[in-house]
Amino acid sequence: MSKKGIAILGATGSIGTQALDVIRAFPTKFEAIVLTCGSNATLLVKQALEFKPKAVVVTDSLQYSYVQDALKAHDTAVLLGEAGLVEVVQYEEVNVVLNAIVGSAGLKPTVKAIQSKKDIALANKETLVVAGELIMALVKEYGVRMLPVDSEHSAIFQCLAGEEHNPIEKIYITASGGPFRGKKRADLLAVTKAEALKHPNWSMGAKITIDSASLMNKGLEVIEAKWLFNLSIDQVDVIVHPQSIVHSLVQFQDGSMKAQMGVPDMKLPIQYALTYPARFENSFERFKFMDYPTLSFEKADMETFRNLALAYESLRAGGNRSCVLNAANEVVVGAFLKDQVGFLEMSDIIEQTLDKVEFIATPTLDDYLETDRVARLITKEIIKD
């Protein structure tokens, strides 16, 4: 079997670096054809020197010259920005595009990759949050596979293997509850950035860690799951599971349930997306029952963590609402990380933005992109006020 060519969008982030660990572990199975980064050019150069990809893409223009100079003696093309991302996903040598870009910037490259008949390993949940209906229609039209990398969606995907003809009654997406599990709104008035960045179980980038603390991450995952698995809103539930061992569950119409379990480690869902439908032997840590004699589950608190309720409301409204939700959230998380807004203020600002952006019932790709642009501007204005 020839090597499977992988394009890693977001190679220097948490998912990207772990994906390279998987490629490193299976050098005869995979080849890194494309690596991209936002601003961590130093690490990108280091990765490029090791994996010798056909091309790298830098989305931060200030880092472009540095990367060019560092790789000029090597056979690696250096491209810039969104245009570069859209170009590299079309390379003939690429079989799978692993999209681990943070935020809605992952949308256009995903569209172009699907149109170029590449399978998508999706770690960029915002692609389906912003334009789920459009993306899944394209997946069907071009006959490609959408392989989930998020641990929760990978768990559901794994539970559904061999169950293609058995209707789903419900899925349960598990949540750790983040660092503020059990807290009430009064407890969260003075939450600091440092406190919000201390996730109890997972090591992730700053944006997704804040989303986890506010439960917006679960809200985005609910929206993603609805589109990924063709479910109604009422078929998707969130349950808090502090140990993060059960990654998600599927309940079938006969009442039987399947759960996918394992230690909290993203390398397994990344590997499964790259090797699907095969399972390759690896040396990852194994789950030991006696290390976790008790697994517990709790109801998600949507009153304290209003973001989860806003996600459900956006999904019920349809159209471009989830796109607005995502854009506003990206802006407020950025503002929170700069100490410009408080933790609880984030939900209030997102709700105000949802009220102010024009509703579009059946958006085109251009409508989604314009909605994203306008929602960001409005959110920034609200923060200034």
Side-chain angles (χ1 to χ4, degrees):
M1 171 184 133
S2 60
K3 291 184 185 180
K4 191 182 282 187
I6 313 294
I8 303 179
L9 311 187
T12 60
S14 174
I15 297 293
T17 54
Q18 290 178 84
L20 287 172
D21 286 341
V22 172
I23 293 175
R24 214 177 263 118
F26 300 102
T28 63
K29 303 288 187 183
F30 304 115
E31 184 177 4
I33 305 295
V34 171
L35 302 175
T36 85
C37 83
S39 57
N40 193 348
T42 306
L43 180 54
L44 181 72
V45 167
K46 187 178 176 185
Q47 292 172 340
L49 293 174
E50 177 184 354
F51 289 93
K52 301 176 175 56
K54 177 177 178 179
V56 297
V57 182
V58 190
T59 54
D60 182 350
S61 58
L62 297 176
Q63 302 294 331
Y64 180 65
S65 296
Y66 165 75
V67 177
Q68 264 198 322
D69 290 345
L71 298 178
K72 65 185 175 185
H74 301 270
D75 230 8
T76 297
V78 181
L79 291 80
L80 176 64
E82 185 182 82
L85 293 174
V86 167
E87 181 179 334
V88 295
V89 297
Q90 301 177 66
Y91 284 173
E92 189 179 340
E93 301 92 330
V94 171
N95 304 114
V96 178
V97 174
L98 170 58
N99 189 342
I101 294 174
V102 175
S104 59
L107 178 58
K108 272 194 183 176
T110 302
V111 169
K112 185 53 71 174
I114 293 169
Q115 290 172 336
S116 302
K117 299 195 172 179
K118 312 298 184 185
D119 287 340
I120 309 296
L122 191 69
N124 170 257
K125 60 177 64 67
E126 291 86 355
T127 290
L128 290 180
V129 171
V130 170
E133 191 168 12
L134 181 147
I135 291 292
M136 294 314 291
L138 288 173
V139 165
K140 188 174 181 182
E141 179 183 347
Y142 288 92
V144 301
R145 295 188 296 198
M146 181 67 78
L147 304 162
V149 170
D150 270 350
S151 61
E152 296 82 1
H153 301 89
S154 176
I156 296 161
F157 186 63
Q158 292 180 60
C159 289
L160 292 175
E163 301 280 4
E164 291 78 12
H165 303 295
N166 291 320
I168 297 169
E169 187 168 283
K170 197 157 197 160
I171 66 168
Y172 293 90
I173 296 174
T174 55
S176 70
F180 307 130
R181 179 175 65 88
K183 304 287 188 187
K184 296 301 178 185
R185 289 185 72 81
D187 303 318
L188 301 176
L189 288 169
V191 158
T192 66
K193 175 174 65 179
E195 289 169 330
L197 286 169
K198 285 180 184 172
H199 195 281
N201 299 336
W202 296 93
S203 174
M204 307 175 290
K207 195 265 182 185
I208 194 171
T209 305
I210 300 301
D211 281 349
S212 180
S214 72
L215 286 200
M216 179 57 91
N217 201 38
K218 289 303 127 180
L220 300 181
E221 287 171 9
V222 166
I223 299 169
E224 183 181 4
K226 182 257 182 292
W227 296 115
L228 201 51
F229 302 109
N230 192 27
L231 302 170
S232 71
I233 300 162
D234 294 331
Q235 286 178 291
V236 187
D237 207 348
V238 173
I239 189 161
V240 174
H241 168 51
Q243 296 83 19
S244 296
I245 295 301
V246 175
H247 297 305
S248 279
L249 308 95
V250 177
Q251 182 172 305
F252 297 96
Q253 64 178 1
D254 63 353
S256 177
M257 299 182 81
K258 277 188 177 181
Q260 190 267 333
M261 302 168 64
V263 294
D265 184 349
M266 283 304 301
K267 285 199 285 293
L268 180 59
I270 292 167
Q271 178 180 310
Y272 189 67
L274 297 183
T275 65
Y276 177 81
R279 290 183 182 274
F280 290 179
E281 184 180 354
N282 60 44
S283 58
F284 302 161
E285 182 186 355
R286 268 39 179 178
F287 171 71
K288 298 181 182 70
F289 277 94
M290 290 308 101
D291 289 346
Y292 297 88
T294 303
L295 299 179
S296 60
F297 302 90
E298 307 162 11
K299 186 178 169 121
D301 180 357
M302 289 204 229
E303 288 183 23
T304 300
F305 299 95
R306 178 83 179 120
N307 278 348
L308 183 54
L310 289 174
Y312 272 103
E313 289 168 19
S314 298
L315 195 50
R316 288 186 195 284
N320 64 339
R321 293 295 86 182
S322 294
C323 179
V324 176
L325 174 92
N326 180 73
N329 181 63
E330 286 187 25
V331 174
V332 295
V333 169
F336 175 71
L337 287 169
K338 293 175 184 170
D339 300 312
Q340 294 170 349
V341 301
F343 186 78
L344 292 179
E345 280 183 276
M346 291 193 288
S347 300
D348 298 336
I349 294 166
I350 292 167
E351 192 163 16
Q352 289 176 57
T353 304
L354 283 162
D355 290 339
K356 290 187 176 187
V357 177
E358 180 188 358
F359 176 70
I360 302 172
T362 53
T364 63
L365 178 59
D366 286 342
D367 290 331
Y368 284 123
L369 295 171
E370 180 63 9
T371 294
D372 181 83
R373 186 188 71 81
V374 171
R376 288 170 191 275
L377 288 174
I378 289 173
T379 307
K380 287 173 184 172
E381 286 169 9
I382 294 168
I383 290 169
K384 281 180 192 172
D385 293 345

